């Protein structure tokens, strides 16, 4: 690690603050916005190690896309009893409105955020798949840009893959499925947690950043209405709005941030929505358990990357194992995200444990249990010097003609020395991810 960049840590964070590199969270019905702390010591991944990750990530995303296409159409994987029917229709991420849907080019997950950790046993484990509205690519993009300016020598003297191509990859993904017209980024607005990212990616791709009031459905097409009232057809929407708020005529009728009837013209194939509605079924942590089976079923291949050892209390034998080994497991609510709904058996009081087990027995489909992965620490800079902290990696896979893995990623770390939770919403920070080119 180049000491020249380390010496400029404070300056880099000052520049990130000036650029407004923030995230927002809602607490007690109040919006709080705060800086996303950046640590200049990068995560470094060797060329061969990344090539291995790349193969595994492409395989996984291909299988997940095939699953989404199947589950909303032929449902062969259910008929062949690879996944129990209850796991599909009981999922909060499954949308009945998407039955029979075929997005443009039959791509469902155009942008996939796959979260991994490197165990101290040297094995990479996938913790979860994010196929709805995965965020985070903008942070290593802008951090790398500022670090390059702060210490050009660091990037001349180290063989690092250039991560400035993310916007180009994303724009190509939009263009690939575009049904004719503009590509736009649809934001719910200034008070969204990831608004910085929405505006930054739109700027980097040179496409309009729009909100619901800028779009209108007329006839069979979607149009962007600019400040002068001029209308231009839209063919692809990188939407940063959750499914339930996207279209008040088809989903939540109280939504003020969606576009009326946008889902109707999507169903007709007249606009591409990235990611496709209905992807939440593949985000479900209960469905995560079955992804290795999906890979074998759809691709006829053995999984390259491994899930964390996972148990489904839905199955009697798994429930028995969970109850017997409760103190050594981490329990996760399948519908939660952002580090919420995660509890460690070892941290509960006797009363909390008894209450949770009652809930687990009453709602076994609601939870998964996993072995606690002792994943690697990465050094971060604190006032006292370098200190180790738990860190994960969000890899980004963009799918057009085929899946492409961005040669970078968002490395998040816990700022609490006793915590395994790295999410920004839980107070974590982030690092750049260097993929070596030789």
């Amino acid at each position: 690690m180049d000491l020249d960049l380390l010496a400029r840590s404070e300056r880099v964070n000052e520049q990130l603050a000036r650029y407004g590199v923030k995230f927002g969270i809602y607490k007690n019905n109040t919006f709080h916005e705060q800086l996303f702390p950046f640590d200049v010591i990068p995560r470094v991944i060797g060329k061969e190690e990344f090539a291995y990750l790349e193969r595994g990530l492409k395989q996984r995303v291909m299988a997940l896309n095939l699953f989404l296409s199947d589950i909303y159409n032929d449902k062969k994987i259910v008929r062949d009893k690879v996944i129990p029917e209850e796991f599909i229709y009981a999922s909060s991420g499954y949308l009945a409105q998407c039955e029979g849907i075929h997005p443009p080019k039959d791509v469902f997950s155009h942008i996939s955020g796959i979260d991994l950790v490197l165990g101290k046993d040297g094995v990479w484990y996938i913790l979860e798949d994010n196929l709805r509205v995965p965020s985070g690519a903008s942070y290593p993009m802008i951090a790398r840009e500022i670090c390059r300016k702060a210490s050009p020598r660091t990037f001349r003297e180290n063989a690092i893959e250039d991560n400035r191509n993310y916007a180009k990859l994303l724009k190509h993904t939009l263009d690939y499925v575009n049904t004719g017209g503009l590509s736009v980024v649809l934001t719910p607005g200034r008070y969204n947690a990831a608004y910085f990212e929405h505006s930054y990616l739109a700027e980097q791709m040179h496409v309009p950043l729009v909100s619901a009031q800028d779009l209108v459905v007329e006839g069979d097409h979607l149009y962007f209405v600019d400040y002068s009232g001029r209308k231009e057809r839209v063919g692809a929407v990188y939407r940063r709005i959750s499914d339930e708020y996207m279209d008040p005529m088809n989903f939540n009728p109280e939504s003020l941030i969606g576009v009326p009837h946008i889902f109707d013209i999507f169903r007709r194939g007249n606009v591409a929505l990235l990611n496709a509605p209905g992807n939440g079924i593949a985000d479900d942590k209960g469905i995560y358990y079955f992804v290795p089976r999906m890979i074998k079923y759809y691709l006829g291949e053995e999984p390259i990357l491994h899930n964390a050892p996972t148990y489904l209390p839905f199955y009697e034998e798994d429930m028995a194992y969970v109850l017997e080994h409760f103190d050594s497991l981490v329990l996760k609510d399948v519908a939660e995200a952002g580090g919420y709904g995660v509890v460690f058996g070892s941290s509960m009081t006797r009363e909390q444990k008894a209450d949770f087990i009652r809930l687990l027995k009453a709602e076994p489909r609601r939870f998964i249990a996993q072995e606690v992965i002792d994943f690697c620490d990465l050094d971060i800079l604190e006032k006292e010097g370098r200190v180790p902290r738990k860190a994960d990696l969000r890899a980004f896979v963009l799918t057009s003609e085929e899946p492409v893995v961005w040669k970078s990623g968002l490395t998040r770390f816990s700022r609490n020395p006793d915590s395994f939770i790295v999410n920004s919403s839980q107070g974590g920070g982030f690092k750049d991810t260097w993929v070596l080119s030789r």
Side-chain angles (χ1 to χ4, degrees):
M1 175 62 202
D2 196 308
L3 294 177
D4 185 55
L5 181 57
L6 289 182
R8 288 162 170 72
S9 174
E10 193 171 326
R11 185 189 305 174
V12 169
N13 272 283
E14 286 172 358
Q15 287 296 309
L16 286 168
R18 178 177 285 184
Y19 274 93
V21 181
K22 300 176 181 179
F23 66 92
I25 54 174
Y26 282 93
K27 273 189 177 179
N28 303 319
N29 296 318
T30 304
F31 181 75
H32 299 272
E33 193 170 52
Q34 58 198 69
L35 294 173
F36 195 2
F38 175 67
D39 185 75
V40 295
I41 305 174
R43 159 170 253 151
V44 180
I45 302 177
K47 182 179 180 179
E48 289 185 7
E49 186 174 21
F50 190 81
Y52 159 75
L53 289 176
E54 196 172 28
R55 291 193 300 273
L57 290 164
K58 285 182 178 181
Q59 179 195 59
R60 192 173 181 97
V61 168
M62 285 175 67
L64 285 163
N65 262 305
L66 289 168
F67 164 72
L68 286 162
S69 182
D70 181 26
I71 214 63
Y72 285 117
N73 290 280
D74 296 333
K75 299 177 177 55
K76 292 177 182 176
I77 201 165
V78 173
R79 288 207 309 271
D80 291 340
K81 301 188 185 307
V82 179
I83 299 178
E85 191 173 47
E86 299 93 318
F87 266 80
I88 304 301
Y89 303 119
S91 172
S92 61
Y94 168 78
L95 294 183
Q97 296 95 324
C98 293
E99 280 293 323
I101 214 150
H102 286 284
K105 307 288 178 71
D106 216 31
V107 179
F108 279 78
S109 187
H110 311 81
I111 304 104
S112 307
I114 312 296
D115 293 345
L116 310 96
V117 292
L118 178 61
K120 288 184 177 174
D121 56 3
V123 176
W124 284 93
Y125 294 95
I126 291 180
L127 288 187
E128 61 182 56
D129 307 291
N130 299 279
L131 277 66
R132 275 182 268 202
V133 192
S135 63
S138 63
Y139 299 110
M141 287 170 70
I142 193 166
R144 179 81 63 88
E145 180 184 339
I146 290 171
C147 287
R148 279 180 176 278
K149 291 176 180 176
S151 179
R153 191 183 79 190
T154 297
F155 295 89
R156 284 197 303 267
E157 296 178 355
N158 290 279
I160 308 161
E161 292 282 0
D162 195 338
N163 78 346
R164 288 176 288 189
N165 66 337
Y166 184 83
K168 183 179 179 181
L169 293 172
L170 183 56
K171 182 62 164 58
H172 175 75
T173 304
L174 278 119
D175 291 344
Y176 177 71
V177 293
N178 191 302
T179 60
L182 283 176
S183 292
V184 300
V185 176
L186 174 61
T187 178
R190 175 69 186 80
Y191 294 105
N192 181 265
Y195 181 75
F196 163 78
E197 175 155 285
H198 308 167
S199 56
Y200 183 76
L201 291 177
E203 178 187 12
Q204 293 295 306
M205 289 192 290
H206 307 291
V207 304
L209 176 69
V210 303
S211 53
Q213 58 263 36
D214 301 315
L215 300 177
V216 62
V217 173
E218 290 186 356
D220 283 339
H221 298 293
L222 179 69
Y223 295 91
F224 166 55
V225 184
D226 71 13
Y227 65 92
S228 68
R230 185 174 63 93
K231 293 177 185 174
E232 191 167 355
R233 185 180 164 186
V234 175
V237 179
Y238 178 28
R239 51 105 182 188
R240 299 300 298 257
I241 294 176
S242 300
D243 288 351
E244 62 269 32
Y245 298 109
M246 185 180 56
D247 181 345
M249 310 306 290
N250 285 279
F251 301 103
N252 187 338
E254 296 182 359
S255 174
L256 300 176
I257 57 174
V259 181
H261 298 295
I262 193 172
F263 184 74
D264 298 320
I265 59 167
F266 167 70
R267 283 194 68 94
R268 294 182 199 128
N270 291 341
V271 71
L273 297 178
L274 292 79
N275 281 337
N279 280 13
I281 181 63
D283 269 15
D284 186 305
K285 293 180 176 64
I287 294 296
Y288 157 95
Y289 175 90
F290 297 99
V291 177
R293 298 186 192 182
M294 288 180 203
I295 292 169
K296 294 176 186 177
Y297 181 78
Y298 292 118
L299 303 178
E301 300 170 359
E302 289 297 317
I304 295 168
L305 293 170
H306 302 280
N307 280 8
T310 304
Y311 309 95
L312 287 185
F314 175 83
Y315 292 123
E316 286 185 16
E317 61 271 28
D318 282 18
M319 177 68 87
Y321 182 91
V322 170
L323 295 178
E324 185 179 347
H325 299 87
F326 192 88
D327 287 352
S328 65
L329 300 172
V330 55
L331 292 303
K332 297 181 179 181
D333 189 315
V334 299
E336 293 282 1
Y340 295 101
V342 177
V343 291
F344 291 82
S346 59
S347 67
M348 294 186 194
T349 65
R350 183 179 298 177
E351 292 76 16
Q352 288 172 331
K353 195 181 303 181
D355 288 343
F356 192 93
I357 288 172
R358 276 194 292 272
L359 180 60
L360 185 65
K361 288 179 176 178
E363 301 181 55
R365 168 63 177 88
R366 181 176 166 183
F367 299 95
I368 62 169
Q370 292 179 323
E371 302 289 352
V372 179
I373 302 294
D374 189 10
F375 57 97
C376 287
D377 299 305
L378 296 180
D379 280 354
I380 69 167
L381 283 180
E382 292 282 14
K383 290 179 181 176
E384 63 270 29
R386 289 184 181 231
V387 294
R389 294 289 185 268
K390 297 296 180 190
D392 77 349
L393 170 67
R394 174 165 291 181
F396 292 90
V397 185
L398 294 97
T399 300
S400 48
E401 295 90 346
E402 62 178 4
V404 175
V405 182
W406 183 38
K407 292 185 177 178
S408 185
L410 176 66
T411 292
R412 300 174 297 183
F413 62 87
S414 170
R415 300 172 76 194
N416 180 345
D418 302 316
S419 176
F420 283 70
I421 307 295
V422 301
N423 305 73
S424 57
S425 57
Q426 306 292 308
F430 79 103
K431 292 173 171 287
D432 193 3
T433 304
W434 290 3
V435 176
L436 300 184
S437 58
R438 61 172 184 263

